Structures are given as C-alpha cells and as structure tokens.
Amino acid sequence: MVNGFKGKSARVTMYLLSQAWKKPVSQKQVVEATRLSKGLVSRVMNWLVAKGAVKRPYRTRFGLEHPEKLLVDWIGQRNIGLKKAFFVDDAAVLKKLRHAHTLFSGAWLDSGYLRNGITTAYVNKGFLPTRAMHAVEGKVADFKTKIVLIPAEDEFVFYAQRKIKGERVVNPFLLYADLASLGGMGLTALRQVAEKHDLPQIFKE
C-alpha cells in the first residue's frame, strides 16, 4: 500500500509542500519534478486526496486543502534522530562532498539561529566514508563530533535547496520537519524557522 510519507513516495509530499502551498499544480508537474512514474504519482495523489490533505479545484490541477496538517502529519512519520550518521572531525571533508545543511547549521544559515558549532548536513544516499576521514558511525542524535554527515534517505532531499552565505541549505519545509522530528534542543531553532517562513508553531513553551 502506498504511503506518501515514506520512501520515494515522500517526494510528492515534499514537492507539494514546496510548490502547492499557495497555488495548484498539475499532476504532470509533479511527475516531471519528482521523476516518479505517472502511476505512482497518481496513487500517491489519490492517497493524499483520501486523507483530506489535497483537493482538486480544477480537472487537471491539485492544491493543498490543509497544508499545515499535511506538514504536521509528515513530521509524525519522521524521526531524524534515529537516522544513521557519520561523525568526522575535519570540516574540510564537506568541501569534497555534495551536501546540504539541515538541523542546527541549516537553521543558523536559514534564519540566524545561534551558532552552536555543530554542522549537520545531508550527503548523498549510500554515502560511505573513506578510511582517511576517520569517521565514527552512529545515530544523528548521538552528536559524537561537531561534524554530522547524514546519508540522505532519498536524493529528493536536495530538491529546492537554497544557497545562503555560500552554503547549500535544504528547503524550508524539510528543515522545519527535521527540526520538529528531532525535538528537544531543536525546538528553539524550529521556532525561528517557523517565524521566518510563516509555518505553524507546533510546539509551545
């Protein structure tokens, strides 16, 4: 059974949050952007319609009925703290890797969150460190070193990334979802990102 929050199907949810927040999009646009088959996109869209997250105001267009609810529901399916990560000491490693900042360094670049010295970035799916990197494997929430490399669950995490202060940062919705799913010390950063991008404050003091 299809789940628009899991695996490649989550590309559709990410695309809709990034593009259909204010204006409807066509299924063709979703297929072209996500590079998924028409059949899979159709099934995911029907799944989202059944959940009440997506509406069809025109025959060939889809829009978000309750974007905030879709975002919160998607967050409920994520737990970035449990994802595999590699911890390295040398920040220069990042210069040699395709990467996009999320969590703390992402929030610092995106909305001026107080820099805490921790660099958290997605790298390519299937990334494996070389011996020269002296990497330690663990979970994201372990924060063993100041440089945290997170193998992307799907290449679409790089979709709609932005260049800020010369660095690549994931799109605001993914940044928000990652911070929210981490909880704890991610909540202060979450509030700043939410305020900047007018996203729901799902956690209160």
Side-chain angles (χ1 to χ4, degrees):
M1 181 179 179
V2 71
N3 183 334
F5 300 142
K6 299 288 186 179
K8 289 186 176 182
S9 296
R11 294 184 186 186
V12 177
T13 295
M14 287 181 61
Y15 176 78
L16 291 175
L17 287 170
S18 298
Q19 301 295 329
W21 190 265
K22 295 182 178 179
K23 62 180 182 179
V25 297
S26 69
Q27 186 162 305
K28 180 180 179 182
Q29 286 176 287
V30 180
V31 169
E32 290 176 348
T34 61
R35 300 193 298 278
L36 299 174
S37 69
K38 292 180 180 179
L40 179 55
V41 169
S42 178
R43 292 194 297 276
V44 175
M45 295 299 280
N46 288 335
W47 183 81
L48 291 169
V49 168
K51 286 180 67 66
V54 170
K55 61 181 178 179
R56 196 169 188 170
Y58 312 104
R59 187 172 65 86
T60 60
R61 297 272 171 172
F62 295 87
L64 292 181
E65 181 73 12
H66 301 291
E68 294 88 355
K69 183 179 184 303
L70 177 60
L71 180 58
V72 172
D73 287 349
W74 178 42
I75 291 167
Q77 298 288 312
R78 295 180 65 78
N79 190 338
I80 194 171
L82 295 180
K83 289 184 180 297
K84 180 170 71 175
F86 294 99
F87 302 88
V88 299
D89 291 313
D90 185 3
V93 166
L94 275 177
K95 296 179 181 179
K96 303 175 183 179
L97 301 172
R98 180 194 187 194
H99 67 280
H101 292 267
T102 188
L103 294 176
F104 304 114
S105 56
W108 169 65
L109 291 162
D110 175 89
S111 53
Y113 171 69
L114 181 64
R115 189 77 165 104
N116 62 6
I118 298 176
T119 295
T120 40
Y122 282 112
V123 291
N124 281 336
K125 180 180 181 179
F127 165 80
L128 290 174
T130 64
R131 184 173 297 180
M133 293 179 184
H134 302 291
V136 176
E137 183 176 339
K139 302 296 183 184
V140 171
D142 294 341
F143 293 113
K144 294 178 183 294
T145 62
K146 294 293 187 180
I147 313 297
V148 185
L149 307 179
I150 310 167
E153 68 261 35
D154 185 84
E155 65 179 43
F156 208 68
V157 301
F158 297 104
Y159 176 75
Q161 63 182 345
R162 299 148 303 145
K163 196 167 187 179
I164 305 173
K165 299 178 183 177
E167 294 286 344
R168 300 287 180 181
V169 183
V170 297
N171 72 72
F173 300 97
L174 180 55
L175 176 59
Y176 178 93
D178 283 348
L179 287 165
S181 73
L182 183 66
M185 58 183 174
L187 299 187
T188 300
L190 173 71
R191 284 188 283 271
Q192 291 188 210
V193 171
E195 288 173 4
K196 177 173 181 179
H197 299 284
D198 196 26
L199 297 173
Q201 293 281 6
I202 62 175
F203 294 101
K204 304 297 182 182
E205 293 280 3

